[in-house]
Structure formats: structure tokens, C-alpha cells
């Protein structure tokens, strides 16, 4: 589904990702962990197509298409979804209008008819109930005045509505209490269907108790320096990252 | 009526007065500038005879004031950013229905001389009539169009033509007419008083609420290059009454138009007035608009102004609190595209204690457009417990667009609450990216964000067909002026 080969990315001429390789197949959940500054969020932003992330070399193929050649909106319509670490507040644009616009762009892209207002509302209310969100969210301005937890839940709500093929969760767990974390993770798990895949970027092993990954990768200095089963996350939680650093500098 | 076009008032001028069109004073035998004005006034009077000497006096006084001050230029602080020369380099002549339409003389009587589409069914501007229940006063080139107008409501109020009211109830009109005139009214407003044509007369008796809104349509149609319109509207809401007025000025054709309009508004004790103004003149439309408002004790006034299109739009909106515990809300949205200049000057005079004023103006400038906001809040020494708030937010969409914003707080009382804020910025790229990351096209994302920015003022309108109309036009304009948009019609 996603194939990243020898990816190198810099921001303002500073190399952040260096020779990164990663393959994700349908149905898989991959977790990316790593210390601050290792390039986790850069990877998410590059995949989503944020401005200012310059790809120096390498390739990214998504569903056998050249992902890096697409505009951000095209990537989304192809089925890529980024749950933002810091969702943007957009006054004046209601959650409902925004989501309806997004959903219908996606449907148009897939050759489907737009959802009418009633269908949209039924779908939206169903997903919101699952995420324990009040339906009044729909008429609020996008993320404006939302608490941290509400913003993250709103991201997962959008994901549930858009049904992406590959969802990238960029530190969706940061700043969430256990209850909110459980709800968010429940939303992700409900979406898993064997056809789609998840790339979960996190700082903490805690999230991975709820969203159980097939692979855990450790990102350090712009490269994936270690890959293991879900137990690797627990080991990192216990031992921290110093041993990774030592191992890595011994090799390098 | 003379069969030759009346001479432009532009030519020779008194030595001290700035030239109207920059031409030099060459022909000594030509009638003096003042004589020409008087000639024009005589022409006006043949259309609307003067019922009271008072009305003639007001014209004369205003003309004298205009002669003293002349048109402002950029040295004048209040007109620093307004390219007045764009308006005054062309000769000025009051529109006359009797003037020949294109070439040749017209000998038909004044009322029907100029073939006007307005009286026909195929009116080009009927599409601008929002389809909703409103009392409607239509003025085509400053002339009252009785056929196109309609009055739904009956009650203790007058809704009709000011010129007609001056004839039928001169004493009542004279109580209010030109009562807000001040020496610092601009040359354009003075000229309006001197040369005004017809306009709306809205007079609501004490304690009466006019059931439906009153829509004033000021339409410029088929003007000749030197013709200028001088609409003059007078709104009086007596004690405890309430009324909502929608003032819509527009242009039916592609020809250039110039409109120097004045609205006088009296909000008497405990009365409530809403004045929604839409300026949508299209290309080559110049509009210098002056609104003066006097608020008495316990009154409420709301103005919402939408400057949607025009080459040069200048609004002077002045509110004077003449009685305590009055409140006003002055909100606006403006869009300056192409080489448009949109200039909003506000002046709130807190002359008495315990009044409250709010201003929210939002604007977008793109291409080489220039938007000006000047919000003056004047708090006089005894106006304690004043509460004044001002906010001006701007978006710049191109490198060559300009915003000039100037909050001007002059506070001479010590127990007041005044605050202001002004911002100018660009669309937040993070917001655009966020929407794109959900599959929304970049252009659509920008449009959504701009519409959201602009909608704040429009969403204050009551939910009716007029709001729908304004929002729709506003969104249409944003789509047109967005850089990279397909339709470059701005």
C-alpha cells in the first residue's frame, strides 16, 4: 500500500529524514516511535504534502502511484488521511460544512454521487455517538475553542467519516487522559477492516496498549534504526531511548 | 427647458476655489461657476418646485460652504488615501431627465424625456430586487420611480419620495431636513445638499413599528460621462418607534457612474433603527456616501455596510450620541480588488455619558486594491461611563494590495472603557493545508476561508431573503477576485 524508499527530506536546508525505508501492506498497523527531534512529525507532514518539506531524494509510492507528485488534496482524495498533531482552528467554517465538502470531494473523486444533507447527518451522528461526541459539535466552528481532547476526537471523527485507506496518526495520544485515549483508540480499532492500514506516530507506549501494532519502528536521526514486534514498544517504555542511541552510534 | 445640454459646472471657478476638473479659467465671458450652479438649481426646481424658502436656503448655504472649501485633496488628512481626482477630473453635471439621451435635442417634457428602461417590464435591474416582502422605494438616476416602487405597510408612518414630501408636508420635512449638517461635512455632502435630487422620506410616528423592512434602491442607469447623481434620503424614527431600512445602490449598465449620496437619520428617544447598506455598483462605479445619525436617549442604531464592488467607494458614517444610554453597532465588510479604492471613515461622537458603541469592520484587499479604514471615537469631557469598542480585521491577498487602517481614539473623559484592535494579515497557510489534507481543492479551501472571514458581518443580518442575497453576492465576489480564480471579472 505504502512504499517508502531511501527518503531524504530537509527543512530550510537542514536534513531531517535521511534514507528512510518503510513498507506498509493493507491491514497492517505500524507504530513509529522515537525521541524528540528524530523526524517523526516530518515523516507525517511529508506524506501529507505540507509545504516547506523538501524531498531531496527517494520515492514514496501509495497504491502504486507516485505520492510525492500529488497535491495534498489529491493525496487525501486517493485515501490518505493525516490526523493532525495540532488541528487548526478555523473560525466561521462549521464542522458540518467542512466535513460535507471534504466527503463530497472524495466521493466525486471515486465517481460517487454526493451525500445529501440527511444521509450525511445520519452518518455523522452515528460516528459521533461512537466517539461520545455531542451532535452540537457539527454546528460549531472547526476546532475553534475546542479543548485538546475535543480536537483529537474531532480528528478521529473526520477519519471515521472519510474512511481512508491509510491513516497517519501524528501523536494523536499526546495530551489525552486515559478515558479520551480509550475512546480515540476505540474509534481507530472500529475502523480496522483488513483492507486499510495505519501509521501510528507516538511518543508513548500507552496508546499501543489500545491500538495494537503489527510492527514497531524506532526512528532515530532520520532513519528507522530498529524494527520489532509490539513488545519493542514496551521495552522502549522501560529502557528509554539511550540504548538505541548507543547501538546506533556504535554502528555509525 | 433648454434644448441644449446645460453647461458643466466644472468650468470657471472663483480664484480661491479649487478647480472642479483642473481646467484653467480661460473664457472670461463664460458664466461664473456660481451662476452655472444656480442655473442647475433652477433646473432642479422645475422638477421639484420649492414649497418653503427654507429648502432653497439650505441649498444656498451648502453651495456657499462648498465654494469655501472646494473638493478635498490628499493634503487633507481625512482624504489622504482617497484619490478624489479620479472623481473630479471629469466635468460634473447634475443628472437631468430632460437632457438628451445621446445626441440631438429633446423637446419632450421632463418626466418622460429620457427613455428609461426602469419603467418597462424588461428592466435590466429587476434581477436585483430580492424576492421578499419589503416596502420598496426605487430611484432611477435619482428620480423616484413610482411604478417600480411598492408600499406594503399602512400605518402611522410615511414611506415615499422626499421631493414629494417637501411639497406636501414641507413643515414636517423642514424639522429634520439638513439638521445634521455640519461645517465639517465633506464637499461631496455639501454638494449633495446644494444639488440633491429626490430620495427616500421615511418618517415613523412615535411608538410605531414598521412591519416590513424598507428597501431603498438607488440605481444608476445609462448616465452620460459628466452626469452625477445626488440621492438624498431622510429617515426619522420618532420616540419608541422602530424600522429597518435596506439601502442598496447599484448600476444597471457598464457605463461609468458617479453618485454623491447623503442619508440623514434621526433615532429619537428609545427608538430603534437598522440601516443595512449594500454598495454594488459594478465596474466604473464611484460612490461617495455620507451617513449622519443622531441618537437620542435610550435609542438603538445598527448599521451594516457591505462594499462589494466599485472603483471608488468612500463612506463617511457619523453617529452622534445626543442622549444618554444610547447604543450603536456599526459593522461592515469591504472588498477592494483590481485598482479599487474602498475607504470607510467612521466617526462616533460620544457627546453624553452612558452610551455604548461597537464597531466591527472586516475587509479583503487583492490585486492592486486599496482599502482604508479610519475609525474615530470621540469621547467628550462629560461623557463618563462611555463604552466604546472597535475592531478592524483585514486580509491581504496580493503583494500589491494595500490596507490603511487607523484607529483614532480621542478621549477627554476619565471614566470610560475604550478598546480597539486592528489586524492585517494573509490567509493562514496552515488553515489552507488543513482543509486540503481532507481532500478539499486548494482554490475551494481558500474560498471557504475567505467566505468564513467575510461571513461574520453578513450572519448578523436577520435570516431572510435579503441576507441570502447579500451572502450570495458576497461569496460570488470573493470567488471572482480570488487570485488564480477562473473568472477574472473584478
Amino acid at each position: 500500500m505504502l512504499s517508502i524508499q531511501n527518503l531524504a527530506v530537509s527543512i530550510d536546508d537542514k536534513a531531517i529524514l535521511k534514507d528512510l525505508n518503510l513498507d506498509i501492506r493493507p491491514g497492517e498497523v505500524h507504530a513509529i516511535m522515537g525521541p524528540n527531534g528524530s523526524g517523526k512529525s516530518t515523516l507525517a507532514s511529508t506524506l501529507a504534502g505540507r509545504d516547506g518539506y523538501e524531498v531531496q531524494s527517494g520515492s514514496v509510492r501509495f497504491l502504486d502511484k507516485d505520492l510525492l507528485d500529488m497535491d495534498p488534496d489529491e493525496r487525501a482524495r486517493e485515501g490518505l488521511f493525516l490526523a493532525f498533531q495540532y488541528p487548526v482552528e478555523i473560525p466561521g467554517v462549521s464542522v458540518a460544512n467542512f466535513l460535507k465538502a471534504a466527503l463530497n470531494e472524495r466521493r466525486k473523486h471515486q465517481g460517487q454521487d454526493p451525500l445529501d444533507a440527511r444521509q450525511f447527518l445520519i452518518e455523522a451522528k452515528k460516528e459521533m455517538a461512537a466517539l461520545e461526541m455531542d451532535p452540537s459539535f457539527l454546528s460549531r466552528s472547526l476546532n475553534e475553542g475546542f479543548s485538546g481532547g475535543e480536537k483529537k476526537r474531532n480528528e478521529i471523527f473526520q477519519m471515521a467519516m472519510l474512511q481512508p485507506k491509510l491513516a497517519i496518526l501524528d501523536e494523536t495520544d499526546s495530551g489525552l487522559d486515559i478515558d479520551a485515549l480509550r475512546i480515540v483508540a476505540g474509534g481507530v480499532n472500529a475502523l480496522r477492516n483488513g483492507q486499510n492500514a495505519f501509521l501510528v506516530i507516538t511518543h508513548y507506549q500507552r496508546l499501543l496498549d489500545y491500538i495494537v501494532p503489527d510492527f514497531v519502528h524506532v526512528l532515530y536521526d532520520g532513519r528507522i534504526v530498529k524494527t520489532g514486534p509490539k513488545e519493542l514498544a514496551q521495552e522502549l517504555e522501560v529502557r528509554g531511548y539511550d540504548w538505541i542511541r548507543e547501538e546506533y552510534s556504535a554502528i555509525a | 427647458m433648454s434644448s441644449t445640454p446645460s453647461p458643466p459646472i466644472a468650468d470657471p471657478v472663483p480664484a480661491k476655489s479649487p478647480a472642479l476638473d483642473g481646467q484653467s479659467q480661460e473664457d472670461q465671458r463664460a458664466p461664473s461657476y456660481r451662476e452655472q450652479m444656480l442655473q442647475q438649481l433652477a433646473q432642479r426646481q422645475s422638477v421639484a418646485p420649492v414649497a418653503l424658502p427654507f429648502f432653497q436656503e439650505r441649498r444656498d448655504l451648502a453651495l456657499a460652504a462648498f465654494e469655501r472649501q472646494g473638493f478635498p485633496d490628499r493634503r487633507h488628512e481625512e482624504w489622504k488615501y482617497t484619490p478624489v481626482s479620479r472623481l473630479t477630473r471629469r466635468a460634473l453635471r447634475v443628472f437631468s431627465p430632460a437632457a438628451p439621451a445621446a445626441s440631438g435635442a429633446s423637446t419632450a417634457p421632463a418626466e418622460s424625456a429620457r427613455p428609461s428602461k426602469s419603467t418597462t417590464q424588461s428592466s435590466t435591474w429587476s434581477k436585483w430586487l430580492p424576492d421578499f416582502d419589503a416596502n420598496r422605494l426605487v430611484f432611477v438616476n435619482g428620480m423616484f420611480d413610482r411604478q417600480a416602487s411598492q408600499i406594503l405597510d399602512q400605518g402611522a408612518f410615511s414611506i415615499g419620495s422626499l421631493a414629494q414630501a417637501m411639497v406636501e408636508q414641507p413643515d414636517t420635512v423642514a424639522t429634520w431636513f439638513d439638521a445634521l449638517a455640519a461645517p465639517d461635512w465633506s464637499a461631496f455632502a455639501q454638494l449633495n445638499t446644494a444639488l440633491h435630487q429626490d430620495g427616500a422620506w421615511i418618517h415613523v410616528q412615535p411608538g410605531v413599528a414598521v412591519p416590513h423592512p424598507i428597501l431603498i434602491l438607488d440605481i444608476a442607469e445609462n448616465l452620460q460621462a459628466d452626469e452625477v447623481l445626488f440621492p438624498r434620503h431622510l429617515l426619522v424614527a420618532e420616540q419608541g418607534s422602530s424600522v429597518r431600512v435596506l439601502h442598496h445602490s447599484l448600476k444597471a449598465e457598464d457605463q461609468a457612474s458617479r453618485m454623491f449620496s447623503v442619508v440623514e437619520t434621526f433615532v429619537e428617544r428609545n427608538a430603534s433603527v437598522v440601516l443595512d447598506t449594500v454598495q454594488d455598483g459594478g465596474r466604473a462605479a464611484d460612490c461617495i456616501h455620507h451617513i449622519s445619525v443622531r441618537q437620542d436617549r435610550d435609542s438603538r442604531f445598527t448599521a451594516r455596510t457591505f462594499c462589494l464592488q466599485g472603483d471608488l467607494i468612500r463612506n463617511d458614517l457619523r453617529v452622534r450620541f445626543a442622549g444618554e444610554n444610547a447604543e450603536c453597532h456599526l459593522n461592515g465588510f469591504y472588498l477592494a480588488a483590481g485598482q479599487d479604492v474602498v475607504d470607510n471613515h467612521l466617526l462616533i461622537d460620544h457627546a453624553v455619558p452612558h452610551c455604548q458603541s461597537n464597531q466591527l469592520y472586516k475587509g479583503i484587499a487583492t490585486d492592486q486594491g486599496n482599502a482604508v479604514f479610519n475609525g474615530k471615537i470621540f469621547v467628550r469631557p462629560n461623557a463618563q461611563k462611555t463604552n466604546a469598542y472597535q475592531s478592524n480585521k483585514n486580509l491581504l491577498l496580493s503583494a500589491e494590495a494595500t490596507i490603511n487602517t487607523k484607529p483614532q481614539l480621542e478621549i477627554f473623559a476619565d471614566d470610560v472603557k475604550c478598546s480597539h484592535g486592528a489586524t492585517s494579515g494573509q490567509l493562514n497557510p496552515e488553515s489552507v493545508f488543513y482543509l486540503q489534507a481532507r481532500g478539499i481543492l486548494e482554490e475551494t479551501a481558500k474560498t471557504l476561508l475567505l467566505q468564513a472571514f467575510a461571513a461574520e458581518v453578513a450572519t448578523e443580518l436577520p435570516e431572510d431573503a435579503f441576507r441570502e442575497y447579500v451572502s450570495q453576492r458576497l461569496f460570488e465576489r470573493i470567488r471572482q477576485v480570488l487570485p488564480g480564480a477562473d473568472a477574472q471579472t473584478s
Side-chain angles (χ1 to χ4, degrees):
Chain A
M1 174 176 285
L2 185 78
S3 173
I4 304 176
Q5 291 187 331
N6 310 111
L7 184 67
V9 175
S10 60
I11 306 170
D12 294 333
D13 293 331
K14 186 166 181 276
I16 307 289
L17 296 182
K18 306 160 185 171
D19 196 25
L20 187 139
N21 292 281
L22 180 65
D23 271 293
I24 300 178
R25 288 180 297 257
E28 292 179 347
V29 175
H30 290 245
I32 292 198
M33 302 182 75
N36 279 332
S38 58
K40 298 190 302 290
S41 283
T42 299
L43 176 61
S45 293
T46 305
L47 294 177
R50 194 192 292 266
D51 257 358
Y53 292 74
E54 290 157 40
V55 176
Q56 302 298 333
S57 59
S59 69
V60 180
R61 297 196 68 80
F62 176 56
L63 300 166
D64 281 329
K65 288 178 181 159
D66 182 356
L67 184 76
L68 299 178
D69 192 38
M70 298 181 209
D71 284 337
D73 46 282
E74 214 176 333
R75 300 177 194 202
R77 289 194 300 275
E78 288 289 340
L80 186 90
F81 181 92
L82 170 66
F84 280 60
Q85 185 180 1
Y86 303 113
V88 186
E89 299 199 5
I90 304 185
V93 176
S94 73
V95 173
N97 276 347
F98 154 71
L99 200 50
K100 216 184 297 168
L103 203 54
N104 285 333
E105 293 273 13
R106 176 85 195 275
R107 290 177 68 93
K108 196 165 118 193
H109 187 71
Q110 294 169 334
Q112 294 172 295
D113 287 334
L115 273 187
D116 68 37
R118 215 188 100 252
Q119 287 171 299
F120 171 80
L121 217 60
I122 292 171
E123 284 293 310
K125 284 191 174 159
K126 196 182 81 193
E127 298 296 350
M128 293 179 96
L131 289 165
E132 300 180 26
M133 291 166 79
D134 193 285
S136 68
F137 261 83
L138 282 174
S139 52
R140 286 173 66 182
S141 280
L142 191 51
N143 295 320
E144 192 187 31
F146 285 24
S147 70
E150 286 173 335
K151 282 180 182 167
K152 296 298 175 79
R153 248 186 274 190
N154 188 30
E155 293 292 292
I156 301 305
F157 167 55
Q158 292 170 38
M159 183 178 77
M161 291 295 286
L162 291 167
Q163 297 274 331
K165 294 184 181 119
L166 173 66
I168 304 163
L169 276 58
D170 189 4
E171 302 206 14
T172 300
D173 53 329
S174 302
L176 291 187
D177 62 29
I178 285 288
D179 285 341
L181 185 70
R182 196 178 37 76
I183 292 165
V184 163
V188 173
N189 288 328
L191 205 65
R192 293 179 67 169
N193 62 14
Q195 298 305 307
N196 52 19
F198 294 85
L199 180 61
V200 181
I201 294 172
T202 182
H203 217 64
Y204 309 104
Q205 175 265 341
R206 194 180 60 161
L207 175 68
L208 305 179
D209 288 344
Y210 296 92
I211 304 172
V212 182
D214 299 300
F215 302 95
V216 175
H217 309 279
V218 180
L219 188 63
Y220 181 71
D221 193 28
R223 295 176 176 87
I224 288 176
V225 295
K226 201 169 189 64
T227 295
K230 62 177 188 287
E231 288 76 18
L232 176 57
Q234 281 143 18
E235 193 179 350
L236 289 168
E237 183 77 4
V238 177
R239 294 178 64 187
Y241 289 101
D242 285 350
W243 64 284
I244 297 280
R245 278 193 195 103
E246 281 157 28
E247 257 183 37
Y248 177 70
S249 32
I251 301 162
Chain B
M1 196 63 57
S2 164
S3 65
T4 52
S6 50
I9 59 176
D11 281 320
V13 291
K16 278 187 177 175
S17 197
L20 282 172
D21 62 352
Q23 285 176 17
S24 61
Q25 194 174 329
E26 282 172 5
D27 188 357
Q28 293 297 327
R29 293 191 307 167
S32 78
Y33 163 68
R34 187 178 161 75
E35 277 166 14
Q36 289 177 31
M37 294 291 251
L38 290 172
Q39 213 173 332
Q40 299 224 345
L41 289 175
Q43 209 173 45
R44 290 260 56 76
Q45 284 152 22
S46 70
V47 178
V50 173
L52 268 189
F54 170 77
F55 295 126
Q56 187 57 48
E57 284 161 24
R58 299 313 295 177
R59 287 187 188 269
D60 293 342
L61 280 171
L63 186 58
F66 171 73
E67 277 184 306
R68 273 195 308 277
Q69 69 188 95
F71 284 120
D73 60 29
R74 293 200 185 228
R75 278 168 295 190
H76 196 300
E77 184 61 27
E78 294 289 305
W79 295 82
K80 200 169 168 182
Y81 302 108
T82 318
V84 169
S85 59
R86 277 198 203 175
L87 295 170
T88 53
R89 66 179 162 225
R90 281 181 281 155
L92 302 175
R93 184 162 56 87
V94 189
F95 168 85
S96 163
S103 61
S106 167
T107 51
E111 280 172 27
S112 61
R114 176 83 62 109
S116 169
K117 291 193 184 116
S118 59
T119 50
T120 68
Q121 289 302 317
S122 63
S123 161
T124 49
W125 45 262
S126 59
K127 64 177 173 182
W128 285 297
L129 295 173
D131 181 24
F132 76 121
D133 289 343
N135 300 291
R136 188 169 70 220
L137 297 171
V138 180
F139 298 89
V140 179
N141 292 337
M143 305 290 145
F144 185 49
D145 185 333
R146 194 174 305 279
Q147 276 167 287
S149 302
Q150 68 168 20
I151 305 299
L152 296 178
D153 297 330
Q154 300 296 322
F157 41 80
S158 311
I159 304 171
S161 139
L162 178 63
Q164 194 181 333
M166 282 172 163
V167 176
E168 291 171 359
Q169 36 181 321
D171 294 317
T172 310
V173 176
T175 313
W176 312 97
F177 179 78
D178 211 29
L180 300 183
D184 65 342
W185 270 26
S186 77
F188 300 98
Q190 303 283 12
L191 211 50
N192 177 287
T193 304
L195 299 172
H196 66 266
Q197 306 164 283
D198 206 349
W201 160 245
I202 296 167
H203 180 208
V204 188
Q205 300 288 342
V208 174
V210 180
H212 291 98
I214 302 169
L215 174 65
I216 304 172
L217 275 171
D218 262 329
I219 297 156
E221 188 182 59
N222 266 325
L223 289 180
Q224 293 181 45
D226 59 346
E227 286 178 327
V228 182
L229 303 179
F230 295 92
R232 176 76 174 217
H233 308 291
L234 181 50
L235 320 177
V236 181
E238 296 227 42
Q239 184 170 334
S241 67
S242 72
V243 62
R244 177 174 177 220
V245 175
L246 318 171
H247 183 198
H248 191 179
S249 42
L250 48 91
K251 179 160 61 72
E253 311 289 338
D254 273 343
Q255 287 104 320
S257 72
R258 280 175 294 174
M259 203 181 268
F260 302 163
S261 42
V262 170
V263 180
E264 274 185 290
T265 303
F266 297 85
V267 193
E268 298 287 288
R269 285 184 73 140
N270 203 27
S272 170
V273 170
V274 175
L275 177 58
D276 292 324
T277 304
V278 178
Q279 294 164 326
D280 198 5
R283 305 177 76 155
D286 296 326
C287 180
I288 308 287
H289 190 54
H290 181 109
I291 303 176
S292 269
V293 182
R294 191 184 75 195
Q295 284 193 252
D296 282 341
R297 200 186 165 89
D298 306 322
S299 66
R300 294 161 303 281
F301 175 71
T302 299
R304 289 168 291 227
T305 305
F306 300 89
C307 312
L308 298 184
Q309 194 173 13
D311 277 16
L312 173 55
I313 295 176
R314 160 76 182 223
N315 289 311
D316 281 279
L317 172 52
R318 298 175 168 202
V319 174
R320 187 159 68 88
F321 289 119
E324 295 185 11
N325 192 35
E327 177 183 332
C328 76
H329 300 267
L330 312 181
N331 301 338
F333 172 78
Y334 47 88
L335 182 66
Q339 294 178 325
D340 299 347
V341 176
V342 183
D343 181 345
N344 279 287
H345 267 65
L346 276 65
L347 166 59
I348 299 176
D349 184 356
H350 281 269
V352 294
H354 291 288
C355 290
Q356 192 179 324
S357 66
N358 285 283
Q359 301 171 46
L360 170 64
Y361 268 67
K362 296 179 93 171
I364 297 173
T366 185
D367 306 328
Q368 284 122 45
N370 181 11
V372 184
F373 175 83
N374 187 301
K376 188 168 171 180
I377 300 172
F378 192 68
V379 183
R380 292 181 192 254
N382 67 330
Q384 302 296 3
K385 304 290 179 190
T386 285
N387 201 339
Y389 176 76
Q390 179 187 89
S391 168
N392 176 231
K393 296 177 185 168
N394 298 285
L395 280 180
L396 281 156
L397 300 186
S398 80
E400 290 169 284
T402 321
I403 303 274
N404 298 102
T405 174
K406 183 179 172 192
Q408 202 179 339
L409 277 60
E410 296 182 18
I411 301 169
F412 298 95
D414 52 15
D415 186 13
V416 301
K417 262 195 269 182
C418 293
S419 65
H420 68 90
T423 59
S424 294
Q426 287 155 2
L427 270 186
N428 181 359
E430 269 299 295
S431 304
V432 178
F433 176 67
Y434 187 78
L435 298 181
Q436 273 189 285
R438 298 294 177 256
I440 297 170
L441 296 167
E442 187 180 356
E443 286 309 316
T444 314
K446 286 182 176 172
T447 307
L448 263 176
L449 292 171
L450 290 176
Q451 289 174 345
F453 173 79
E456 191 177 350
V457 177
T459 48
E460 290 185 1
L461 294 167
E463 280 188 60
D464 60 16
F466 185 75
R467 166 164 153 183
E468 213 165 287
Y469 170 83
V470 171
S471 307
Q472 198 189 318
R473 264 303 287 158
L474 207 149
F475 290 179
E476 201 173 288
R477 285 292 295 145
I478 286 172
R479 281 196 300 273
Q480 284 170 359
V481 304
L482 193 66
D486 298 334
Q488 288 295 346
T489 54
S490 75

